[in-house]
Amino acid sequence: MTEKAASEAPTCGPEETSSELAKAPTTEPSAEAAALESAGEERAPTPHAPAPTAPAAPAAATKPAPASEGDKKVGQGVRAGERSPPQTSSSPPTSPPDRPSAPLRLALEDVSDSSVTVSWEPPERLGRLGLQGYVLELCREGGSEWVPVNARPLMVTQLTMRNLALGDKFFLRVAAVSSAGAGPPAVLEQPVHIQKIIEAPKIRVPRHLRQTYIRQVGEPVNLQIPFQGSPKPQASWTHNGHALDSQRVNVRTGDQDSILFIRSARRSDSGCYELTVRLEGLEAKAAIDILVIEKPGPPSSIRLLDVWGCNAALEWTLPQDTGNTELLGYTVQKADKKTGQWFTVLERYHPTTCTISDLIVGNAYSFRVFSENQCGLSASAATTKELARIQKADIVAKPKGFVERDFSEAPSFTQPLADHTSTPGYSTQLFCSVRASPKPKIIWMKNKMNIQGDPKYRALSEQGICTLEIRKPSPFDSGVYTCKAVNVLGEASVDCRLEVKGKASATH
């Protein structure tokens, strides 16, 4: 970096940010510097006299990364043990008082396969003439010439170089510039290497394939398994550890997924399918279990064990073919000889013996048993060869003497009346329950006086529940209420006190 280049660069306003610099895509740093220069000419104001102190940089561009994080970023694009950056004798180790000192904490923020982002912090000493900006320069490995990335000083502390070519390797340095010229630069000790970034392969198995994937015989099998990886990884499939049968199984692998397709599934297609994704020594695997099932066969045999009364006992043996899955049970049906219609007696019955009851006397029955799994009932059933005949038996009825029970009882209250407080003008009810046989007569009294027939009261009695409704009571209606139950065997009564608080709206 020379004093001449710094003096020719005008002062750039602090409103320029690193995001604006990134909008000038270039393939070479020198071209990007030209784009930045043109952008600076369009937006930079007329240069003024330098201020005694440096202008504040934008907040978005002046957040320096910690030293440890910067070292970590350097490790992504810098090879350890590389040659040191070229030294130039034109840059003095210390700067004159008019020039700023070297920027602090120069570090790599990000390195991709086409761009580099660097950041730094302002220098400790800005110089007597103030700070005009920073100039970033690069020097390719093996060369000695430092080329400015931005031709004019920029008031930013972060800069991104874009559209870099794979395989580029270069050194970077940044210097602070004032009206008196550029100060000593801060140099990255290791070169930046632009290389293809490898993203480790990953397989994302869909949720419905994380458990056994069940298909029926004849149905298609279509597995779409997405994966990640950059550059595009190589995908391969195996079935139970062996290569796939290319005549039956079709595989199509794209940039982001692999599809396994079987047009018509067979039971032999059941098993563990494993997808392996490899990328430059890295690999990821995912296993998918497929089960191809079909309807089971019928029970091997069935026989009628015994017939007694209105019952018949059956026994059968397990089917020879369960359909490549476990049985859900058996369905037992019966049919009488007269109608020949089949009726289901038992469903999803697990034992292999059963007793059929409630058969009609005088009829002859046949029985059959189906096997059942997830696909449904077996196509055929095992049927008994002999009929179960329900014989008529001579039954003589011997009636026993019937002793009639006397349920008569005197009245007794199972739920007494409860004391109650009411508000004037709001109807209230009194409840109690009585037990008696024959049905008793219910009499309601207030203060020992019979109130039957008074329109102010309504008495109800149903199923032993006795209710007295007092319509719009007033304080005059306060008193002791009695419910009396009377039948031929005796009588019983219960009392309660009703208190109506407040002034009556009308006299009784």
Side-chain angles (χ1 to χ4, degrees):
M1 178 187 308
T2 63
E3 184 176 350
K4 179 181 179 181
S7 61
E8 291 177 356
T11 305
C12 294
E15 67 274 3
E16 295 184 46
T17 63
S18 59
S19 60
E20 295 172 350
L21 302 177
K23 295 180 180 178
T26 59
T27 57
E28 295 294 334
S30 59
E32 182 175 354
L36 293 172
E37 181 177 359
S38 63
E41 291 175 352
E42 294 175 2
R43 299 191 57 182
T46 305
H48 299 283
T53 58
T62 58
K63 292 184 179 179
S68 59
E69 183 178 353
D71 296 340
K72 182 178 179 181
K73 294 290 184 177
V74 170
Q76 297 179 359
V78 177
R79 301 289 187 180
E82 298 285 353
R83 55 177 292 183
S84 301
Q87 302 294 332
T88 58
S89 59
S90 61
S91 298
T94 58
S95 60
D98 293 342
R99 299 182 183 182
S101 59
L104 304 177
R105 297 184 181 179
L106 176 62
L108 284 175
E109 289 294 327
D110 183 52
V111 178
S112 70
D113 56 359
S114 63
S115 65
V116 173
T117 300
V118 293
S119 67
W120 58 88
E121 292 186 0
E124 293 182 355
R125 183 168 50 81
L126 302 179
R128 290 180 300 180
L129 300 180
L131 185 67
Q132 287 188 344
Y134 302 93
V135 174
L136 181 66
E137 296 178 323
L138 67 82
C139 177
R140 299 192 179 276
E141 187 181 38
S144 60
E145 181 183 1
W146 288 93
V147 180
V149 176
N150 53 314
R152 298 177 182 274
L154 299 177
M155 289 298 297
V156 295
T157 58
Q158 181 172 307
L159 192 61
T160 300
M161 302 169 57
R162 301 184 184 276
N163 298 329
L164 301 174
L166 288 175
D168 283 352
K169 186 179 292 187
F170 49 84
F171 293 93
L172 290 175
R173 71 181 185 182
V174 64
V177 180
S178 68
S179 299
V187 185
L188 281 178
E189 296 182 358
Q190 302 294 339
V192 180
H193 189 193
I194 304 301
Q195 56 187 350
K196 185 174 294 185
I197 297 178
I198 297 177
E199 179 184 355
K202 294 181 181 179
I203 300 176
R204 302 190 179 276
V205 179
R207 185 180 299 274
H208 70 282
L209 296 178
R210 296 176 187 174
Q211 55 189 0
T212 301
Y213 185 58
I214 300 177
R215 306 297 291 171
Q216 294 188 25
V217 172
E219 291 183 342
V221 176
N222 190 4
L223 305 181
Q224 183 176 6
I225 311 299
F227 59 79
Q228 296 176 345
S230 179
K232 178 183 175 180
Q234 298 294 324
S236 61
W237 288 86
T238 59
H239 178 208
N240 294 331
H242 303 286
L244 299 179
D245 183 1
S246 58
Q247 296 182 354
R248 287 195 40 75
V249 183
N250 297 320
V251 174
R252 186 185 66 186
T253 301
D255 294 337
Q256 297 180 347
D257 59 14
S258 182
I259 300 176
L260 183 144
F261 179 74
I262 302 175
R263 185 174 301 277
S264 179
R266 299 177 183 174
R267 289 171 61 166
S268 58
D269 295 325
S270 301
C272 178
Y273 288 79
E274 187 175 67
L275 171 63
T276 303
V277 178
R278 295 184 177 89
L279 177 61
E280 298 200 11
L282 303 175
E283 70 176 15
K285 295 184 177 182
I288 301 170
D289 293 322
I290 297 180
L291 181 63
V292 181
I293 62 176
E294 60 182 339
K295 291 183 178 181
S300 300
S301 62
I302 185 173
R303 65 192 184 99
L304 185 63
L305 292 180
D306 192 13
V307 178
W308 73 98
C310 296
N311 309 299
L314 302 175
E315 182 183 38
W316 59 91
T317 56
L318 297 174
Q320 295 180 355
D321 182 14
T322 61
N324 203 29
T325 184
E326 63 181 9
L327 294 178
L328 299 179
Y330 302 93
T331 297
V332 182
Q333 296 181 343
K334 67 177 180 180
D336 63 88
K337 185 179 179 181
K338 295 179 180 178
T339 61
Q341 295 182 350
W342 292 97
F343 297 92
T344 299
V345 180
L346 299 171
E347 287 184 307
R348 294 198 174 182
Y349 182 77
H350 290 278
T352 56
T353 59
C354 71
T355 300
I356 310 299
S357 303
D358 300 328
L359 301 176
I360 298 176
V361 175
N363 283 358
Y365 291 90
S366 295
F367 302 94
R368 66 181 182 182
V369 179
F370 292 89
S371 304
E372 183 179 3
N373 63 8
Q374 295 183 38
C375 294
L377 298 178
S378 56
S380 59
T383 307
T384 55
K385 297 180 180 179
E386 54 202 67
L387 298 177
R389 301 181 183 277
I390 309 303
Q391 303 292 340
K392 295 181 180 180
D394 296 332
I395 301 175
V396 178
K398 297 181 179 180
K400 296 183 179 180
F402 177 73
V403 178
E404 185 178 359
R405 182 178 176 183
D406 185 9
F407 290 96
S408 300
E409 63 176 307
S412 62
F413 283 89
T414 58
Q415 180 65 39
L417 292 172
D419 293 342
H420 191 67
T421 302
S422 181
T423 302
Y426 293 90
S427 298
T428 186
Q429 292 179 334
L430 304 178
F431 298 93
C432 63
S433 60
V434 64
R435 178 179 177 178
S437 182
K439 183 177 179 181
K441 178 181 179 181
I442 304 301
I443 302 173
W444 286 93
M445 295 181 291
K446 174 189 173 186
N447 297 329
K448 305 300 182 181
M449 299 293 294
N450 193 331
I451 56 175
Q452 299 290 112
D454 191 331
K456 188 175 183 65
Y457 305 98
R458 186 175 69 162
L460 301 174
S461 178
E462 185 175 357
Q463 301 293 328
I465 306 299
C466 303
T467 306
L468 178 66
E469 180 181 356
I470 305 172
R471 300 171 177 171
K472 297 182 179 180
S474 64
F476 176 80
D477 295 313
S478 300
V480 177
Y481 286 80
T482 303
C483 179
K484 187 175 183 181
V486 181
N487 70 359
V488 294
L489 298 178
E491 65 180 37
S493 63
V494 289
D495 301 330
C496 74
R497 177 172 293 279
L498 175 65
E499 182 179 356
V500 181
K501 294 185 177 181
K503 295 183 180 181
S505 58
T507 59
H508 182 68

